[in-house]
Amino acid sequence: MTGAARNTRALQLAARREQFLAAAERMFLKDGFANTSVNAIVREAGGSLATLYAEFGTKEALFESVLSERAVRFFPEARPQRASSCSGAEAKLKRLATHMLQRMLSEDALAVYRICVHEAPRFPGLRKAVLETGIPGLLQGTARYIADLATTPALGVEDTNDAASQFVALVQGQLVLMAALGANIDTSTRERQVANAVRAFLRLYPACSGKRNE
């Protein structure tokens, strides 16, 4: 096989992988993990069952890849600029919290949440994907964002991984569970949640204590 032919084949396989992932995500979110078959995914995406298994190995590994792709898309594309003041750090954290909560409360994110809570306990491979890819992907992305803000004294964070875990917990609070149960989370409730989350986070990391108007 020539170099050009190998490149063409690699592009074809990459395109097929994206088709499998897109179809799998749509079907998992619509029908759940247990009720989605790999045969149905192949019919939706095109290609062959052999190609799907060669690329992903198992349905659980396919779901894990879906979680990885979603983690990449979860955060704003633009990384935050360094915060030169306490008020600047607070504003950037509020923008991040607002973005994260909006994503967490979207219909597709709530569908993933329901799968994780309802089905992961019954499927070891699915549970592994959630615990080793889904949750770490969210925390690592948050930690990278916080690390960018923590490059100046405006935000005093020593362990960005711990800070990320605390920030995620503060942002979602009880709202994700409530929304997953069918509650309508209105705009004022979301705004209050964001404000309270950022205020509590800055109390945990009080480098700006007493300097909030700088």
Side-chain angles (χ1 to χ4, degrees), residues 53-108:
Y53 277 121
E55 180 65 35
F56 299 101
T58 65
K59 186 169 79 166
E60 288 85 355
L62 175 57
F63 186 82
E64 185 172 355
S65 294
V66 168
L67 290 181
S68 294
E69 292 290 324
R70 289 183 59 82
V72 171
R73 303 196 306 266
F74 185 87
F75 294 94
E77 292 184 7
R79 299 283 286 271
Q81 296 179 346
R82 298 173 67 185
S84 58
S85 68
C86 297
S87 59
E90 182 174 8
K92 291 176 188 299
L93 286 171
K94 282 185 176 180
R95 283 196 291 272
L96 175 62
T98 299
H99 174 89
M100 290 177 67
L101 190 60
Q102 181 180 9
R103 294 301 300 268
M104 289 173 175
L105 297 179
S106 66
E107 286 302 317
D108 62 326

Coordinates of all heavy atoms in Angstrom, one line a residue, residues 53-108:
Y53 N -16.3 -2.9 16.2 CA -15.6 -3.6 17.2 C -14.1 -3.5 17.1 O -13.4 -3.4 18.1 CB -16.0 -5.1 17.2 CG -17.3 -5.4 17.9 CD1 -18.4 -6.0 17.3 CD2 -17.4 -5.1 19.3 CE1 -19.6 -6.3 17.9 CE2 -18.6 -5.4 20.0 CZ -19.7 -6.0 19.3 OH -20.8 -6.3 19.9
A54 N -13.6 -3.4 15.9 CA -12.2 -3.2 15.7 C -11.7 -1.8 16.3 O -10.6 -1.7 16.8 CB -11.8 -3.2 14.2
E55 N -12.6 -0.8 16.2 CA -12.3 0.5 16.7 C -12.5 0.7 18.2 O -11.6 1.3 18.8 CB -13.1 1.6 15.9 CG -12.9 3.0 16.3 CD -11.5 3.5 15.9 OE1 -11.0 3.0 14.9 OE2 -10.9 4.3 16.7
F56 N -13.5 0.1 18.7 CA -13.9 0.4 20.1 C -13.8 -0.9 21.0 O -13.6 -0.7 22.2 CB -15.3 1.0 20.2 CG -15.4 2.3 19.5 CD1 -16.0 2.4 18.2 CD2 -14.9 3.5 20.1 CE1 -16.1 3.6 17.6 CE2 -15.0 4.7 19.4 CZ -15.6 4.7 18.1
G57 N -14.0 -2.0 20.5 CA -13.9 -3.2 21.3 C -15.2 -3.7 21.9 O -15.6 -4.8 21.7
T58 N -15.8 -2.8 22.7 CA -17.0 -3.2 23.4 C -18.0 -2.0 23.3 O -17.6 -0.9 23.1 CB -16.8 -3.6 24.8 OG1 -16.3 -2.4 25.5 CG2 -15.8 -4.7 25.0
K59 N -19.2 -2.3 23.7 CA -20.2 -1.2 23.8 C -19.8 -0.2 24.9 O -20.0 1.0 24.8 CB -21.6 -1.7 24.0 CG -22.7 -0.6 23.9 CD -24.1 -1.2 23.9 CE -24.6 -1.7 25.2 NZ -26.1 -1.9 25.2
E60 N -19.3 -0.8 26.0 CA -18.9 0.0 27.1 C -17.8 1.0 26.7 O -17.8 2.2 27.1 CB -18.5 -0.8 28.3 CG -19.6 -1.6 29.0 CD -20.0 -2.9 28.3 OE1 -19.5 -3.2 27.3 OE2 -20.8 -3.6 28.9
A61 N -16.8 0.5 26.0 CA -15.7 1.3 25.5 C -16.2 2.4 24.5 O -15.7 3.5 24.5 CB -14.7 0.4 24.8
L62 N -17.2 2.1 23.8 CA -17.8 3.1 22.9 C -18.5 4.2 23.7 O -18.3 5.4 23.4 CB -18.8 2.4 22.0 CG -19.7 3.3 21.0 CD1 -18.8 4.1 20.1 CD2 -20.6 2.5 20.2
F63 N -19.2 3.8 24.7 CA -19.8 4.8 25.6 C -18.7 5.6 26.3 O -18.9 6.9 26.4 CB -20.7 4.1 26.7 CG -21.4 5.1 27.5 CD1 -22.6 5.6 27.1 CD2 -21.0 5.5 28.8 CE1 -23.4 6.5 27.9 CE2 -21.7 6.4 29.6 CZ -22.9 6.9 29.1
E64 N -17.6 5.0 26.7 CA -16.5 5.7 27.3 C -15.9 6.8 26.3 O -15.6 7.9 26.7 CB -15.4 4.8 27.7 CG -14.2 5.4 28.4 CD -13.3 4.4 29.0 OE1 -13.6 3.2 28.9 OE2 -12.2 4.8 29.6
S65 N -15.8 6.4 25.0 CA -15.4 7.4 24.0 C -16.3 8.5 23.8 O -15.9 9.7 23.6 CB -15.1 6.6 22.7 OG -14.1 5.7 22.8
V66 N -17.6 8.2 23.9 CA -18.6 9.3 23.9 C -18.4 10.3 25.0 O -18.5 11.5 24.9 CB -20.0 8.7 23.9 CG1 -21.1 9.8 24.1 CG2 -20.3 8.0 22.6
L67 N -18.2 9.7 26.2 CA -18.0 10.6 27.4 C -16.7 11.4 27.2 O -16.7 12.6 27.6 CB -17.8 9.7 28.7 CG -19.1 9.0 29.2 CD1 -18.7 8.2 30.5 CD2 -20.2 10.0 29.5
S68 N -15.7 10.9 26.6 CA -14.4 11.6 26.4 C -14.7 12.8 25.5 O -14.2 13.9 25.7 CB -13.4 10.7 25.8 OG -13.0 9.8 26.8
E69 N -15.4 12.5 24.4 CA -15.8 13.6 23.4 C -16.6 14.7 24.1 O -16.4 15.9 23.8 CB -16.5 13.0 22.2 CG -15.6 12.1 21.4 CD -14.6 12.8 20.6 OE1 -14.9 14.0 20.1 OE2 -13.5 12.3 20.4
R70 N -17.5 14.3 24.9 CA -18.4 15.2 25.6 C -17.6 16.1 26.5 O -17.9 17.3 26.7 CB -19.6 14.5 26.3 CG -20.6 13.9 25.4 CD -21.7 13.3 26.2 NE -22.4 14.3 27.0 CZ -23.3 15.2 26.6 NH1 -23.7 15.1 25.3 NH2 -23.9 16.0 27.4
A71 N -16.6 15.5 27.2 CA -15.8 16.3 28.2 C -15.0 17.4 27.4 O -14.9 18.5 27.9 CB -14.9 15.3 28.9
V72 N -14.6 17.1 26.2 CA -13.8 18.1 25.4 C -14.7 19.2 25.1 O -14.3 20.4 25.1 CB -13.2 17.4 24.2 CG1 -12.6 18.5 23.3 CG2 -12.1 16.4 24.6
R73 N -16.0 18.9 24.7 CA -16.9 19.9 24.3 C -17.6 20.7 25.4 O -18.2 21.7 25.2 CB -18.0 19.3 23.4 CG -17.6 18.6 22.2 CD -18.7 18.3 21.3 NE -19.9 17.7 21.9 CZ -20.1 16.4 21.9 NH1 -19.2 15.5 21.3 NH2 -21.2 15.9 22.4
F74 N -17.4 20.2 26.7 CA -18.1 20.8 27.8 C -17.7 22.2 28.1 O -18.5 23.0 28.5 CB -17.9 19.9 29.0 CG -18.7 20.3 30.2 CD1 -20.0 19.8 30.4 CD2 -18.1 21.1 31.2 CE1 -20.7 20.2 31.5 CE2 -18.8 21.5 32.3 CZ -20.1 21.0 32.5
F75 N -16.4 22.5 28.0 CA -15.8 23.8 28.4 C -15.8 24.8 27.3 O -15.7 24.4 26.1 CB -14.4 23.5 29.0 CG -14.5 22.7 30.3 CD1 -14.3 21.4 30.2 CD2 -14.8 23.3 31.5 CE1 -14.4 20.6 31.4 CE2 -14.8 22.6 32.7 CZ -14.6 21.2 32.6
P76 N -15.7 26.1 27.7 CA -15.5 27.1 26.7 C -14.3 26.9 25.9 O -13.3 26.4 26.4 CB -15.4 28.4 27.5 CG -16.0 28.1 28.8 CD -15.8 26.6 29.1
E77 N -14.3 27.2 24.6 CA -13.2 26.9 23.7 C -12.0 27.9 24.1 O -10.8 27.5 24.1 CB -13.5 27.2 22.3 CG -14.5 26.1 21.7 CD -14.7 26.3 20.2 OE1 -14.1 27.2 19.6 OE2 -15.6 25.6 19.7
A78 N -12.3 29.1 24.5 CA -11.3 30.0 24.9 C -10.9 29.9 26.3 O -11.7 29.8 27.2 CB -11.8 31.5 24.6
R79 N -9.6 29.7 26.5 CA -9.1 29.7 27.9 C -9.1 31.1 28.5 O -8.9 32.1 27.8 CB -7.6 29.1 27.9 CG -7.5 27.7 27.3 CD -8.0 26.7 28.3 NE -7.0 26.5 29.4 CZ -6.1 25.6 29.4 NH1 -5.8 24.9 28.3 NH2 -5.2 25.5 30.4
P80 N -9.3 31.2 29.8 CA -9.3 32.5 30.4 C -8.0 33.2 30.4 O -6.9 32.6 30.6 CB -9.8 32.2 31.9 CG -9.2 30.8 32.1 CD -9.4 30.1 30.8
Q81 N -8.0 34.5 30.3 CA -6.8 35.3 30.4 C -6.5 35.4 31.9 O -7.4 35.3 32.8 CB -7.0 36.7 29.8 CG -7.2 36.7 28.3 CD -7.4 38.1 27.8 OE1 -7.7 39.0 28.5 NE2 -7.3 38.2 26.5
R82 N -5.2 35.7 32.2 CA -4.8 35.8 33.6 C -5.6 36.9 34.3 O -5.8 38.0 33.8 CB -3.3 36.1 33.7 CG -2.5 35.0 33.1 CD -1.0 35.4 33.1 NE -0.5 35.5 34.4 CZ 0.8 35.9 34.6 NH1 1.6 36.3 33.6 NH2 1.2 36.0 35.9
A83 N -6.1 36.6 35.5 CA -6.8 37.6 36.3 C -5.8 38.5 37.1 O -5.0 38.0 37.8 CB -7.8 36.9 37.3
S84 N -5.9 39.8 36.8 CA -4.9 40.7 37.5 C -5.5 41.3 38.7 O -4.8 42.0 39.4 CB -4.5 41.8 36.5 OG -5.7 42.5 36.1
S85 N -6.7 41.0 39.0 CA -7.3 41.6 40.2 C -8.3 40.6 40.8 O -8.7 39.6 40.2 CB -8.1 42.9 39.9 OG -9.2 42.6 39.1
C86 N -8.7 40.9 42.1 CA -9.7 40.0 42.7 C -11.1 40.0 42.0 O -11.7 39.0 41.8 CB -9.9 40.4 44.2 SG -8.3 40.2 45.1
S87 N -11.5 41.2 41.6 CA -12.8 41.3 41.0 C -12.7 40.7 39.6 O -13.7 40.1 39.1 CB -13.1 42.8 40.8 OG -12.2 43.5 40.1
G88 N -11.5 40.7 38.9 CA -11.4 40.0 37.7 C -11.5 38.5 37.8 O -12.1 37.8 37.0
A89 N -10.9 38.0 38.9 CA -11.0 36.5 39.1 C -12.4 36.1 39.4 O -12.9 35.1 38.9 CB -10.0 36.1 40.3
E90 N -13.1 36.9 40.2 CA -14.5 36.6 40.5 C -15.4 36.6 39.3 O -16.2 35.7 39.1 CB -15.0 37.6 41.5 CG -16.4 37.3 42.0 CD -16.9 38.2 43.1 OE1 -16.2 39.2 43.4 OE2 -18.0 38.0 43.6
A91 N -15.2 37.6 38.4 CA -16.0 37.7 37.2 C -15.7 36.5 36.3 O -16.6 35.9 35.7 CB -15.6 39.0 36.4
K92 N -14.4 36.0 36.1 CA -14.1 34.9 35.3 C -14.7 33.6 35.9 O -15.2 32.7 35.1 CB -12.6 34.8 35.1 CG -12.0 35.9 34.3 CD -10.5 35.9 34.2 CE -9.9 37.1 33.5 NZ -10.4 37.3 32.1
L93 N -14.7 33.5 37.2 CA -15.3 32.3 37.8 C -16.8 32.3 37.6 O -17.4 31.2 37.4 CB -14.9 32.3 39.3 CG -13.5 31.9 39.7 CD1 -13.2 32.2 41.2 CD2 -13.2 30.5 39.3
K94 N -17.4 33.4 37.7 CA -18.8 33.5 37.4 C -19.2 33.1 36.0 O -20.2 32.4 35.8 CB -19.4 34.9 37.7 CG -19.6 35.2 39.2 CD -20.2 36.5 39.5 CE -20.4 36.8 40.9 NZ -21.1 38.1 41.2
R95 N -18.4 33.5 35.1 CA -18.6 33.1 33.7 C -18.4 31.6 33.5 O -19.3 31.0 32.8 CB -17.7 33.9 32.7 CG -18.1 35.3 32.5 CD -17.4 35.9 31.3 NE -16.0 36.1 31.5 CZ -15.4 37.2 32.0 NH1 -16.2 38.2 32.4 NH2 -14.1 37.3 32.2
L96 N -17.4 31.1 34.1 CA -17.2 29.6 34.0 C -18.4 28.9 34.7 O -18.9 27.9 34.1 CB -15.9 29.2 34.7 CG -15.6 27.7 34.8 CD1 -15.5 27.1 33.4 CD2 -14.4 27.4 35.6
A97 N -18.8 29.3 35.9 CA -19.9 28.6 36.6 C -21.2 28.7 35.8 O -21.9 27.8 35.7 CB -20.1 29.3 38.0
T98 N -21.4 29.9 35.2 CA -22.7 30.1 34.4 C -22.6 29.1 33.2 O -23.6 28.4 32.9 CB -22.8 31.5 33.9 OG1 -22.8 32.4 35.0 CG2 -24.0 31.7 33.0
H99 N -21.5 29.0 32.5 CA -21.4 28.1 31.4 C -21.5 26.7 31.8 O -22.3 25.9 31.2 CB -20.0 28.3 30.7 CG -19.7 27.3 29.7 ND1 -20.1 27.6 28.3 CD2 -19.1 26.1 29.7 CE1 -19.7 26.5 27.6 NE2 -19.1 25.6 28.4
M100 N -20.9 26.3 32.9 CA -21.0 24.9 33.4 C -22.4 24.5 33.8 O -22.9 23.4 33.4 CB -20.0 24.7 34.5 CG -18.5 24.7 34.1 SD -17.4 24.6 35.6 CE -17.7 22.9 36.1
L101 N -23.0 25.4 34.5 CA -24.4 25.1 35.0 C -25.4 25.0 33.8 O -26.2 24.1 33.8 CB -24.9 26.1 36.0 CG -26.2 25.8 36.7 CD1 -26.0 24.5 37.5 CD2 -26.6 26.9 37.7
Q102 N -25.2 25.8 32.8 CA -26.0 25.7 31.6 C -25.8 24.4 30.9 O -26.8 23.8 30.5 CB -25.7 26.9 30.7 CG -26.5 26.9 29.4 CD -26.1 28.0 28.5 OE1 -25.1 28.7 28.7 NE2 -26.9 28.2 27.4
R103 N -24.6 24.0 30.8 CA -24.3 22.7 30.2 C -24.9 21.5 31.0 O -25.4 20.5 30.5 CB -22.8 22.5 30.0 CG -22.2 23.4 28.9 CD -22.9 23.3 27.6 NE -22.7 22.0 27.0 CZ -21.7 21.6 26.2 NH1 -20.7 22.5 25.9 NH2 -21.7 20.4 25.7
M104 N -24.7 21.6 32.4 CA -25.1 20.5 33.3 C -26.6 20.3 33.2 O -27.1 19.2 33.3 CB -24.7 20.8 34.7 CG -23.2 20.7 35.0 SD -22.9 21.3 36.7 CE -21.1 20.9 36.8
L105 N -27.4 21.4 33.0 CA -28.8 21.4 33.0 C -29.4 21.3 31.6 O -30.6 21.3 31.5 CB -29.4 22.7 33.7 CG -29.0 22.8 35.1 CD1 -29.6 24.1 35.7 CD2 -29.5 21.7 36.0
S106 N -28.6 21.1 30.6 CA -29.1 20.8 29.2 C -29.7 19.5 29.2 O -29.4 18.6 30.0 CB -28.0 21.0 28.2 OG -27.0 19.9 28.4
E107 N -30.6 19.3 28.2 CA -31.3 18.0 28.1 C -30.4 16.8 27.9 O -30.6 15.7 28.4 CB -32.4 18.1 27.0 CG -33.6 18.9 27.4 CD -34.3 18.4 28.6 OE1 -34.5 17.2 28.8 OE2 -34.7 19.2 29.5
D108 N -29.4 17.0 27.0 CA -28.5 15.9 26.7 C -27.6 15.6 28.0 O -27.3 14.4 28.2 CB -27.6 16.2 25.5 CG -26.7 17.4 25.6 OD1 -27.1 18.4 26.3 OD2 -25.6 17.4 25.1

